[in-house]
Amino acid sequence: MTRTLNVHLLPAMFEPEALRDGIAVVIDVLRASTTMTLALQNGAAGIIPCGSIEEANSAFERSPDTVLRGGERGGVKIDGFELSNSPDDYSPNVVDGRTIAFTTTNGTRALLRCGIAERILVGSFVNLSGVVNELAGCCNPIHLVCAGTNGAVTNEDVLFAGCIVQRLTGCVDIPDVDESRWELSDSSLLALCAWLQMTREMTLPEALLRSKGARNLMALGYDRDIQTAGMIDLCSIVGIFDGNTKRITASPAAARESG
Ligand code: MLT
């Protein structure tokens, strides 16, 4: 059986309806999907992706004892919020057992655009193998959705999409694609090319520094976040968005430290 694999270089490049029956991976390597994954790995009970600051404030006001507000606008913490969009803010002692009402400029919006998909995963290099295992274990069409930055394609998101294409297909070169097993969109081939080319020329941490998003983060003093985003398989969990509860939870549930 041939399996379809699509890469969407930007959320605006697909109609939400195209994701029906599919499994979607939302990708915002710098930093929303990396930060959400770390929050869940560190014991957050769940994440409520919010399309606006007002929505996050409402979630907080409904349950101020259990909810923390996290996210960014212009890369920096939102006034009144407890947490920024830096993974460093989401340590176990801060997030364990708490629900995060989370809003970012691109990542959470990309996720909400995927709502119609049958299954929605949050993907980043820190949970690469978990995401690949989830995708390999089902047969729905795959949609890798790059969040981009303010409507522009971002290098790091496309590289991660290409890395997933490579892991799933096992290709070490473009002519290796087994067309009896995989139907790759042209943008999937582009992402795969970008990933293969990168691995020949530089390391992932070097590649992650070469993007506008990384330059913005460095200008704001968030250099460490770029390093964190490049730590392949730092986390064992995958965040899964449930369209009914409108929450992202960890699969498998993160093991909490006792004591
Ligand atoms: C976003 O969702 O726009 C990004 O995660 C921005 C950031 O790195 O703070």
Side-chain angles (χ1 to χ4, degrees), residues 15-215:
E15 287 304 322
E17 184 60 31
L19 270 54
R20 191 182 289 281
D21 302 327
I23 179 164
V25 181
V26 180
I27 303 168
D28 186 355
V29 170
L30 296 176
R31 298 166 288 176
S33 54
T34 300
T35 299
M36 288 191 273
T37 303
L38 270 148
L40 293 168
Q41 179 73 41
N42 287 341
I47 294 171
I48 308 169
C50 300
S52 66
I53 295 171
E54 294 69 31
E55 241 184 87
N57 282 334
S58 303
F60 174 77
E61 280 153 21
R62 281 194 297 275
S63 313
D65 296 336
T66 53
V67 172
L68 298 169
R69 289 163 293 184
E72 57 71 37
R73 286 296 181 270
V76 297
K77 188 160 89 164
I78 296 162
D79 275 349
F81 275 32
E82 290 69 39
L83 309 168
S84 73
N85 189 25
S86 170
D88 279 352
D89 281 5
Y90 295 76
S91 57
N93 61 325
V94 173
V95 301
D96 189 32
R98 310 295 287 270
T99 296
I100 318 294
F102 192 68
T103 181
T104 67
T105 313
N106 303 284
T108 48
R109 289 180 188 166
L111 192 145
L112 294 168
R113 192 168 166 82
C114 296
I116 205 166
E118 194 165 304
R119 199 161 165 79
I120 304 165
L121 317 178
V122 178
S124 57
F125 285 106
V126 297
N127 67 347
L128 169 66
S129 295
V131 170
V132 171
N133 290 340
E134 285 275 345
L135 294 174
C138 72
C139 51
N140 309 61
I142 296 170
H143 297 272
L144 307 180
V145 176
C146 301
T149 300
N150 301 331
V153 173
T154 46
N155 187 35
E156 64 277 4
D157 294 346
V158 177
L159 287 176
F160 180 68
C163 178
I164 294 186
V165 177
Q166 197 274 322
R167 289 273 185 119
L168 285 171
T169 62
C171 293
V172 288
D173 215 339
I174 301 297
D176 297 344
V177 177
D178 179 351
E179 289 175 353
S180 65
R181 290 190 57 219
W182 293 100
E183 187 184 322
L184 302 190
S185 65
D186 286 7
S187 45
S188 303
L189 283 172
L190 277 176
L192 176 61
C193 284
W195 172 253
L196 292 172
Q197 175 86 3
M198 183 227 91
T199 56
R200 287 180 198 120
E201 292 180 358
M202 64 189 92
T203 63
L204 177 60
E206 285 167 346
L208 289 185
L209 291 171
R210 291 175 180 233
S211 76
K212 187 157 185 258
R215 287 193 294 278

